[in-house]
Structure formats: C-alpha cells, structure tokens
Amino acid sequence: MTSTHLDVNAIDFDALGTWMDGRGLPDGPFERVEPVTGGTQNIMVRFERGGSPYVLRRPPLHPRARSNEVLRREARVLAALRDTPVAAPRLIAACTDETVMGGAVFYLMEPVRGFNPTVELPEPHAGDPAIRHRMGLEATSALAELGRVDHRALDGFGRPEGFLERQVPRWMGELDGYAALDGYPGPEIPGLAETAGWLERNRPRSFSPGVMHGDYHLANLMFAHDGPRVAAIVDWEMCTVGDPLLDLGWLLATWPAPDGGGMPAGHVPGLPAAREIVDCYTALSDRDVSAVDWYTVLACFKLGIVLEGTHARACAGKAPKDIGDLLHATTLSLFARARSLM
C-alpha cells in the first residue's frame, strides 16, 4: 500500500460525516478525495462535500506523544486568527475530542490557493524579477501583520514572562539530552559555547509579548498564483506567545544568501537582501528592531541545535545518515552565520 493510500485511509469518513452533520456543515457524499503532499509529518486530505471544498488535518497514523495536543494548539491559534488580517489558513471547524476518529483530533480548513516557492516557481513569478523581489517584502509584511495580533486572545497559550531568559538554557539542555543516543559523539559545533555566552551577555532587557509562528521561513509560506502576495502562512505547530522579533530573526537566519547559501531549500533568485527585510519590517511595525542581530543569532543557535538532533539520531541509526549529515552541515552553516553577526 502506498503512502498516498495510507493518507486517505487514515480518515474514517463515516465518523467524519456524522461529525460534520452535527456541526451543520453541508452533507452528501465525499468527493474528489486526495492527499495533500508536503513536508509536514501530519496527515492532510483534501475533499469536497455538499459542493464545499475542505482540507482535513490530523496527526500521523503513528502519532508522537504530544501529536493531539499540538493539533489542539494549532486549531486554537487558527480560530484566534480567523477574523484578523493575518494570512493564515481559514479554520472551518475543529474536533478536539480524540474519541471521534480513533484516537486522533483533527480540524477542517479551507484549501489554500497558492504555491510554495521552495518547491516550485510558476509563472508569472519565474519570469518577473520584480515579482520575486516583492515576494520577500510580502513575506515580511505578513510577519509584521502577525506581530500586531493581540496575544490576549490566546490567554494561557505560552509563558511570555522570562521567555528570552529561558532560551539559551532550554536549548543547551536539549543539546545535552542528545548524549543519551548511542553512537552520537557529542556536538562538534565550532563556536557553540561562545555563541551561548554572547547571547546571555547581550540579551535585550525587555520585549512586548505577541503571537509567534515559531518556524517562520520560506518553506512555510504559500504565495498567490497571480502575484507576490502571501496566500497563507502554514504549519503552526511551534506557535506560542513569546517575542515576535524571534520570528524576524528566524526569517533572517534562514534567508537565502546571495551566494546560494543558507537553508537547504529551493533557490528563488532575486529576493531582497536581508537589510531590505529589516527595513521593511521596521517600516511596518512599532517594535524596536535595534537588537535584530541578537534575535538572528538566537535563531541560528536554536535552529542549529534542533537540526543537530536529527544528526544525533542518525548517528544512533534512528534516522537516515545522508539526512543527518546534511542537517549537521546546515547546523555548522547556521553557527557560522551567527559568528559573523556577533
């Protein structure tokens, strides 16, 4: 059985139909059922019912320990963003009761009409340098819009108090935990201790709490087919209430370098330089971006440690070696970028 069939068979359509009927959604047979492919570990299936299109999102068939909790948080975020200008997928309804579909929570959202530029670059974008340049500024504008959301709509969602103070100890602790994986020689990351020390010494004294996406980069953006507009920010699994300037730092840390360096993703030629991204955000936000280099270094530090986890699992035979090697090289590149900013 292929993964495509598994994706579709992960949905109990009888249970889904009964649940949808109870929510007053259009009834009828399920039509045009097909999986939505992408980099996510969660399962997404597109279908139509009663003349309306839907995308269903649920945890994988073999869920992680917190898969249902992560989906509940995602649904809560999308509900809070539904009536804002933020370019997020529009939530239709969520089922947070895991007994409805065999142990999995799920939610329904409207399909996003758009493409991901790290996967494909269709026309008119491919042939128009002005559109490609503007895509970077639209990505920045969409992030600034998220930073304007009143985080009090997500009361209790995160712990903004002490958010910045927790970052370095939290991620150094994560790195230390990789030692439990047999075969991992330890973090061979030049500049690790120096970066951690610099971050602690130069940490901003205060910030204004806000809604954070938590993994804001090009691979998590869908762009409209007819121009540079961001159609949707996707994959809200790491969303929290914290310091939104870390999202800006994350975008800069993963931004394609002029030499083709940066994150291992599809190359989009002609994007604006990092300085233009910062200037654009500054013009659209009332947040103080004077410490933007600090946030970018923190993003390099945190993301590098996250990716090193896959390298550690590969050393223990729990992930493909080629993927582990690639992500370790990316970790080294991120720490080198951090050192260039310190």
Side-chain angles (χ1 to χ4, degrees):
M1 182 177 291
T2 68
S3 60
T4 295
H5 290 144
L6 279 172
D7 285 349
V8 172
N9 290 344
I11 311 302
D12 181 340
F13 284 98
D14 289 338
L16 177 61
T18 300
W19 178 81
M20 291 178 69
D21 292 345
R23 300 301 298 261
L25 296 170
D27 61 6
F30 290 90
E31 300 174 318
R32 302 179 185 272
V33 179
E34 60 182 14
V36 178
T37 57
T40 177
Q41 296 186 61
N42 290 302
I43 290 170
M44 292 198 294
V45 173
R46 186 194 314 270
F47 64 89
E48 292 182 8
R49 190 176 192 233
S52 296
Y54 302 89
V55 169
L56 181 145
R57 183 167 165 95
R58 57 147 288 171
L61 281 175
H62 303 290
R64 293 154 288 176
R66 296 185 61 252
S67 288
N68 280 327
E69 180 58 27
V70 168
L71 263 289
R72 287 189 183 99
R73 286 172 61 86
E74 255 189 55
R76 186 180 171 195
V77 170
L78 294 181
L81 297 177
R82 181 163 47 191
D83 296 323
T84 73
V86 173
R90 190 173 187 282
L91 183 75
I92 296 172
C95 179
T96 56
D97 178 358
E98 57 197 65
T99 67
V100 172
M101 194 175 290
V105 303
F106 61 91
Y107 62 81
L108 298 177
M109 58 185 172
E110 293 180 357
V112 175
R113 291 184 173 87
F115 69 94
N116 181 266
T118 67
V119 176
E120 60 175 326
L121 195 62
E123 295 293 350
H125 307 69
D128 191 334
I131 290 181
R132 295 195 303 273
H133 184 269
R134 185 66 204 174
M135 286 170 69
L137 303 181
E138 290 292 332
T140 310
S141 176
L143 181 59
E145 193 67 66
L146 176 62
R148 284 192 281 271
V149 172
D150 186 351
H151 69 278
R152 290 172 294 184
L154 289 166
D155 184 51
F157 194 78
R159 291 190 297 140
E161 301 82 7
F163 176 80
L164 295 183
E165 289 82 356
R166 289 194 301 271
Q167 295 303 305
V168 170
R170 159 75 175 84
W171 293 103
M172 287 298 284
E174 179 81 5
L175 189 60
D176 289 343
Y178 301 159
L181 292 161
D182 290 337
Y184 178 56
E188 298 173 357
I189 304 172
L192 172 64
E194 292 86 345
T195 304
W198 184 89
L199 285 167
E200 292 288 59
R201 291 191 305 273
N202 293 279
R203 183 175 59 241
R205 294 183 179 180
S206 63
F207 69 93
S208 299
V211 179
M212 283 179 55
H213 178 269
D215 193 19
Y216 197 85
H217 56 88
L218 278 178
N220 282 335
L221 298 179
M222 303 288 288
F223 286 84
H225 286 291
D226 60 354
R229 177 179 58 86
V230 173
I233 308 164
V234 299
D235 284 354
W236 292 82
E237 293 184 21
M238 295 173 68
C239 180
T240 190
V241 173
D243 188 342
L245 288 176
L246 182 51
D247 274 342
L248 177 61
W250 204 272
L251 181 65
L252 294 168
T254 58
W255 197 245
D259 60 3
M263 291 291 287
H267 179 56
V268 182
L271 291 171
R275 185 69 251 170
E276 290 181 82
I277 297 296
V278 175
D279 290 345
C280 178
Y281 190 93
T282 302
L284 296 171
S285 172
D286 59 2
R287 295 182 182 275
D288 178 5
V289 300
S290 59
V292 66
D293 285 350
W294 186 89
Y295 289 98
T296 307
V297 171
L298 176 59
C300 291
F301 175 83
K302 178 177 174 179
L303 180 55
I305 289 174
V306 170
L307 298 181
E308 183 69 5
T310 300
H311 172 59
R313 288 190 290 276
C315 290
K318 297 183 177 181
K321 183 180 184 302
D322 59 336
I323 299 296
D325 290 346
L326 173 65
L327 295 184
H328 178 64
T330 306
T331 292
L332 299 184
S333 174
L334 286 164
F335 272 83
R337 183 173 286 199
R339 289 197 303 276
S340 74
L341 292 169
M342 284 159 49

